[in-house]
Amino acid sequence: MLYIAISFFLGDAWVHHVPMLSASWMALPMICALIVSLLIRHRLIFYSSIAFVLGIAWASGHAWWQLRDDLQPEIEGRDIAVTGIISSIPQHEYYGVRFTFSTEQSAVPVPSTLQISWYSQNAPVHAGERWRLMLKLKRRHGFANPGSFDSEAQLFRDGIGATGYVRELQDNSNSNSNDNRWLGIASGNNLLRIRAALAERISAAIPGSTMQGVMRGLAVGDQQAISNEQWQVFARTGISHLIAISGSHIGMVALLFAWMGGWLVYLPMAQRWRLTKQDFQAAFGLPAALGYSLLAGMSIPTQRTLIMLGVFFIVRVLRREVNVWHSYGLALLLVTLIDPFAPMAVGTWLSFGAVAVILLNQQGRLGHAHGSREFFTIQAVVTVGLVPLLVSAFGSLSLISPWINLLAIPVFTFFLVPSVLIGSTLLLMYSPLGTWWLSHLAVIMNALYDALQSAAHLSLATWYVPQSPLWAMCLLGMGAMVMILPLLWPMRMCGLLCCLPALLWQPQHLPENSFELTVLDVGQGLSLVIRTASHVLIYDTGPKFQSGTDTGALVVLPYLRSLGVRSIDTVMVSHGDDDHAGGMQSVSQGMPVQRWLLGPSVSTEHLFTQAPPQRCQQGQRWQWDGVQFEVLYPNEDADQSQRNNTSCVLRIHAAGGSALLMGDAEAPVEQQLVNANMIAPTTVVVAGHHGSRTSSTPELVNATHAQQVIFSAGYRNRWNFPKPEVAAAWKKSGARTHSTIDAGAITIKILPSEVQSIQWYRESQRHYWQWKPS
């Protein structure tokens, strides 16, 4: 069973790592598996090969069916009246509300599930309600950068076929009826409304408390009120898995109720009906786990845990002596069958990986530790065994996580989770008592959070691991496996040595007299990273969003860490517009910066830096590793009333080529630079103002003789940047144009031999669910 389940899971996972759902990508591994099964005439190999082929067929069929539900390109940007049901607990932000919308009726075909934002503080939407909304939709599209979170994959994983926003408030009407008729999905909506009502009661019980989000997460799996700052603290301390209803919490509830149910075996009725302790434990433990999972909204992690607990209890009731690995394989197979997209979730690999490393460590032992020693051993084994998965998924390790979890796991499992559940129950039974309970619990949780915050701010709390080559990651996996197995210590030390290449990997440096320019995909904004042999410069930090997040934290820092960069030599912010300076604060907090060069309009109010920032000024020059940097603008005569025309304009020159970064400088600045003979033929131009008509004048286009021109703009931005006529003018001059909308992050290497290496991230990391130009 184990090998069949693993083969089926790997076949499913293969589909989610291919660039397209084509016959060649699907047929090739199937044919190879069948050939292997025929050449190696062994029953286990044959069954495993068949399972692998079936896994590919299962996943590709579901993927193809889900892609059919995507929004069609011709419908994007149109006002569409859609009737549907609010199918999630609405997430309230200061700009409005965001929710999942399950569609029922529309004038044109739309996906069955939408993610909708309503930019109104007074939007009266509640979970489970039916609405008719005027929507403007667009296809799935997210940032595409090395080292960053793949939001497109998450949307596809959640079944979201399109995103959009409410268009006309006056045309939106609540068509909900009072008799709770939900067209065949009453039970699901009733449960959703109960969860939403309980979440609202928790918030009302502790108004103003920063622990609202954590309590709602532990009670009903609603993590929306947890702030970005809190998530960063939880991630750096390695306890993110404890902040919502996780497998350990459901397991705790199931075991607690199973323990209580086991005492009923002493009743006369139990003896009369010949019921055993295992029967009562299953009768109480499994429904408790199911109830808590339903309260969490049956999220994917809870489904995995519920299936594993179901296998455990059913085996005990049937009095079967089943090999633990067979139970593990059965759970893995059931999870993959129920959710064909489970391999796309990191949590799937981590949850099954954690169980696997514990079983590998315990098998073959003559004796077992007990009590606290066993708990410490299991914690150490899980920490070491999951290192390869954590490094490949997140590119970082929390060095304090093992020590924090030694205390956090028992505190959450045996104190906080039961206390939150007791408080939630009291809220439903007698609100004043529940309010008193939760308010005192919030004080305790605030004290614990303060301790976590202090630990998270330690300088070595997190170790960021750059992207390593395949051979180093394979060694890391082998080394971690050897370290967790019950082997002699000399062999485990060899395993540790195998882990070092990946954990200490440093990417290859550029040669002298060359530089690498990467225009990051930050949506409607601009951020570039310029690297030489031993230096790093950031030009602009991208936008800040209404949700409070910014691309400094979401894009710039993850990209730098994926390259192994631990400090920044210079950050240049061209001007003060939010789409260029929005990520300054996150960059200054997340990584040491040696020097800040700011445009005249850039504020330093929230800048965390020890060295006083400098202002860009025409004539500033410096040299790094044979590469020349020169600030061409602003000069003393710059018009301070127009932010765009105070942008820092930077020229980079090396033996093999040059680059010109224009910021948002417009026609007057371009004319000044051309008239002053400061514009020379240039290899790469990052077009000014995202490809607006106010920039890229014919004089500048003719003066640069650019070979490559890059536009940084957001998908379906309201200004329609880059303007088609602007892109056409650059193409007419002989330049090849690129846009972050189509390409994602764009990397160009200028080498001494004048060989240019150009890479589109969306092309190099293509997946079948990703957005493609229409």
Side-chain angles (χ1 to χ4, degrees):
M1 172 59 72
L2 176 63
Y3 296 105
I4 292 175
I6 291 176
S7 299
F8 188 87
F9 180 81
L10 292 178
D12 190 299
W14 164 267
V15 174
H16 304 308
H17 285 81
V18 299
M20 61 186 69
L21 292 177
S22 63
S24 58
W25 282 104
M26 298 300 108
L28 180 62
M30 289 183 175
I31 294 173
C32 292
L34 293 176
I35 291 176
V36 169
S37 66
L38 294 175
L39 293 178
I40 305 176
R41 297 180 178 273
H42 190 281
R43 187 173 62 178
L44 180 61
I45 299 296
F46 175 76
Y47 288 148
S48 298
S49 300
I50 296 299
F52 182 77
V53 171
L54 292 176
I56 293 177
W58 183 252
S60 58
H62 281 81
W64 175 80
W65 184 261
Q66 185 157 314
L67 287 175
R68 290 179 70 250
D69 193 44
D70 282 355
L71 185 72
Q72 297 304 309
E74 60 271 15
I75 303 176
E76 284 188 299
R78 293 170 52 183
D79 290 343
I80 306 171
V82 182
T83 301
I85 294 174
I86 311 296
S87 55
S88 68
I89 299 177
Q91 178 178 352
H92 292 274
E93 304 283 356
Y94 74 90
Y95 63 85
V97 63
R98 185 172 62 185
F99 52 87
T100 302
F101 198 55
S102 296
T103 62
E104 294 179 327
Q105 184 179 1
S106 64
V108 295
V110 298
S112 58
T113 306
L114 309 172
Q115 187 180 87
I116 300 300
S117 296
W118 193 338
Y119 297 109
S120 171
Q121 285 289 352
N122 301 318
V125 292
H126 299 90
E129 290 182 338
R130 178 180 285 106
W131 282 78
R132 179 181 181 274
L133 300 173
M134 188 66 68
L135 302 177
K136 179 168 283 190
L137 303 176
K138 65 178 181 180
R139 291 181 290 169
R140 284 188 307 270
H141 192 281
F143 300 146
N145 299 282
S148 298
F149 176 72
D150 191 346
S151 59
E152 285 184 45
Q154 182 65 42
L155 290 172
F156 179 77
R157 171 81 182 78
D158 293 340
I160 305 296
T163 62
Y165 63 93
V166 178
R167 178 63 171 168
E168 298 179 12
L169 300 180
Q170 62 270 23
D171 288 345
N172 299 318
S173 57
N174 186 352
S175 60
N176 179 33
S177 59
N178 294 324
D179 56 1
N180 295 327
R181 289 182 296 175
W182 301 112
L183 301 179
I185 54 174
S187 59
N189 280 334
N190 288 335
L191 178 61
L192 177 63
R193 293 167 75 97
I194 292 173
R195 294 177 58 233
L198 181 55
E200 291 175 0
R201 288 197 181 191
I202 292 174
S203 296
I206 49 174
S209 173
T210 57
M211 291 296 108
Q212 284 186 17
V214 178
M215 285 196 185
R216 291 170 58 151
L218 295 176
V220 297
D222 177 27
Q223 309 169 30
Q224 302 174 62
I226 301 177
S227 67
N228 294 319
E229 180 184 355
Q230 288 175 323
W231 276 123
Q232 291 176 10
V233 171
F234 298 146
R236 288 178 67 85
T237 53
I239 66 164
S240 298
H241 62 288
L242 299 175
I243 303 306
I245 299 178
S246 64
S248 61
H249 301 155
I250 293 177
M252 181 274 297
V253 170
L255 293 178
L256 177 62
F257 276 81
W259 175 79
M260 292 189 297
W263 287 97
L264 298 179
V265 73
Y266 298 108
L267 295 176
M269 179 192 67
Q271 299 174 14
R272 187 181 311 118
W273 290 94
R274 297 183 179 181
L275 298 175
T276 65
K277 179 180 283 190
Q278 289 89 338
D279 298 325
F280 282 107
Q281 288 176 341
F284 278 74
L286 193 56
L290 176 61
Y292 198 21
S293 299
L294 290 172
L295 198 60
M298 287 300 288
S299 61
I300 300 304
T302 60
Q303 290 180 26
R304 291 193 297 265
T305 305
L306 190 61
I307 290 172
M308 297 177 79
L309 286 172
V311 171
F312 169 77
F313 282 119
I314 290 172
V315 167
R316 287 176 61 84
V317 169
L318 295 177
R319 315 295 196 274
R320 295 294 185 91
E321 288 292 335
V322 179
N323 184 288
V324 65
W325 284 110
H326 289 175
S327 300
Y328 177 90
L330 178 60
L332 179 63
L333 182 61
L334 289 175
V335 166
T336 313
L337 285 171
I338 293 173
D339 179 18
F341 304 105
M344 293 179 63
V346 177
T348 303
W349 297 84
L350 292 178
S351 59
F352 280 100
V355 175
V357 298
I358 294 173
L359 296 178
L360 287 170
N361 178 261
Q362 296 298 312
Q363 70 177 7
R365 290 185 180 273
L366 298 178
H368 296 280
H370 298 283
S372 59
R373 183 179 177 184
E374 183 178 15
F375 174 75
F376 293 147
T377 300
I378 290 177
Q379 179 63 33
V381 166
V382 172
T383 300
V384 174
L386 294 184
V387 164
L389 292 175
L390 293 172
V391 169
S392 60
F394 304 112
S396 64
L397 295 172
S398 175
L399 300 182
I400 61 175
S401 171
W403 319 108
I404 297 292
N405 276 280
L406 287 177
L407 298 175
I409 290 176
V411 168
F412 271 83
T413 302
F414 300 113
F415 173 67
L416 290 182
V417 174
S419 298
V420 170
L421 292 178
I422 292 172
S424 302
T425 304
L426 292 175
L427 273 180
L428 298 176
M429 297 174 61
Y430 185 60
S431 183
L433 182 58
T435 299
W436 176 87
W437 182 280
L438 291 181
S439 61
H440 285 77
L441 182 60
V443 174
I444 299 174
M445 294 176 70
N446 271 314
L448 294 174
Y449 177 76
D450 291 340
L452 289 174
Q453 201 169 25
S454 300
H457 289 155
L458 295 174
S459 58
L460 293 179
T462 304
W463 179 258
Y464 295 101
V465 183
Q467 292 181 351
S468 307
L470 180 60
W471 64 266
M473 292 303 298
C474 290
L475 278 179
L476 177 62
M478 293 171 54
M481 178 75 72
V482 171
M483 291 179 68
I484 64 172
L485 289 174
L487 302 173
L488 298 176
W489 278 106
M491 298 186 67
R492 291 186 175 184
M493 292 304 297
C494 292
L496 176 60
L497 294 176
C498 291
C499 296
L500 294 180
L503 297 179
L504 301 178
W505 178 260
Q506 289 297 322
Q508 184 178 5
H509 291 291
L510 292 168
E512 291 283 324
N513 299 315
S514 62
F515 67 93
E516 178 186 86
L517 181 148
T518 299
V519 181
L520 297 172
D521 179 11
V522 294
Q524 187 55 38
L526 180 66
S527 183
L528 294 90
V529 177
I530 297 95
R531 294 197 303 140
T532 66
S534 59
H535 294 82
V536 175
L537 180 142
I538 309 299
Y539 183 92
D540 285 346
T541 57
K544 186 172 185 177
F545 305 110
Q546 293 179 331
S547 61
T549 59
D550 61 68
T551 50
L554 297 176
V555 175
V556 179
L557 290 175
Y559 174 69
L560 293 176
R561 288 163 180 161
S562 72
L563 297 175
V565 175
R566 305 196 184 277
S567 66
I568 305 169
D569 295 281
T570 299
V571 175
M572 177 179 287
V573 182
S574 63
H575 63 297
D577 284 357
D578 277 346
D579 59 334
H580 293 251
M584 283 177 56
Q585 183 176 348
S586 293
V587 171
S588 65
Q589 291 177 317
M591 193 171 290
V593 178
Q594 305 301 321
R595 180 177 63 160
W596 289 85
L597 281 176
L598 308 178
S601 61
V602 179
S603 171
T604 61
E605 181 179 358
H606 300 294
L607 191 63
F608 292 84
T609 178
Q610 295 179 349
Q614 305 173 26
R615 295 294 176 179
C616 294
Q617 189 173 358
Q618 187 180 78
Q620 290 172 325
R621 295 182 179 86
W622 67 93
Q623 179 176 308
W624 287 342
D625 308 311
V627 180
Q628 304 288 335
F629 293 79
E630 181 181 3
V631 177
L632 303 183
Y633 198 82
N635 54 29
E636 296 179 353
D637 301 327
D639 186 357
Q640 301 295 326
S641 64
Q642 298 184 7
R643 282 189 172 186
N644 288 351
N645 287 333
T646 61
S647 293
C648 303
V649 178
L650 180 66
R651 176 176 170 81
I652 308 168
H653 180 74
S658 59
L660 181 63
L661 316 182
M662 296 297 300
D664 271 0
E666 298 178 336
V669 175
E670 295 180 356
Q671 194 66 50
Q672 284 188 46
L673 296 176
V674 171
N675 293 340
N677 294 321
M678 300 181 70
I679 301 297
T682 306
T683 310
V684 182
V685 173
V686 180
H689 205 192
H690 318 286
S692 165
R693 295 191 188 98
T694 60
S695 303
S696 299
T697 58
E699 292 79 7
L700 181 76
V701 171
N702 295 330
T704 55
H705 298 289
Q707 300 177 28
Q708 312 289 341
V709 176
I710 301 175
F711 302 101
S712 179
Y715 178 58
R716 295 195 64 83
N717 63 84
R718 59 179 176 174
W719 302 278
N720 194 30
F721 292 158
K723 292 295 184 180
E725 57 268 34
V726 173
W730 283 106
K731 289 179 180 179
K732 186 177 180 180
S733 71
R736 180 186 175 190
T737 60
H738 314 264
S739 171
T740 56
I741 298 174
D742 300 330
I746 303 168
T747 299
I748 298 182
K749 289 184 180 180
I750 303 296
L751 303 175
S753 59
E754 297 189 10
V755 176
Q756 300 174 22
S757 171
I758 305 175
Q759 184 181 65
W760 286 21
Y761 185 75
R762 284 191 181 274
E763 288 298 327
S764 63
Q765 301 294 325
R766 169 68 62 191
H767 293 288
Y768 69 85
W769 65 78
Q770 286 180 329
W771 174 90
K772 302 174 183 64
S774 56

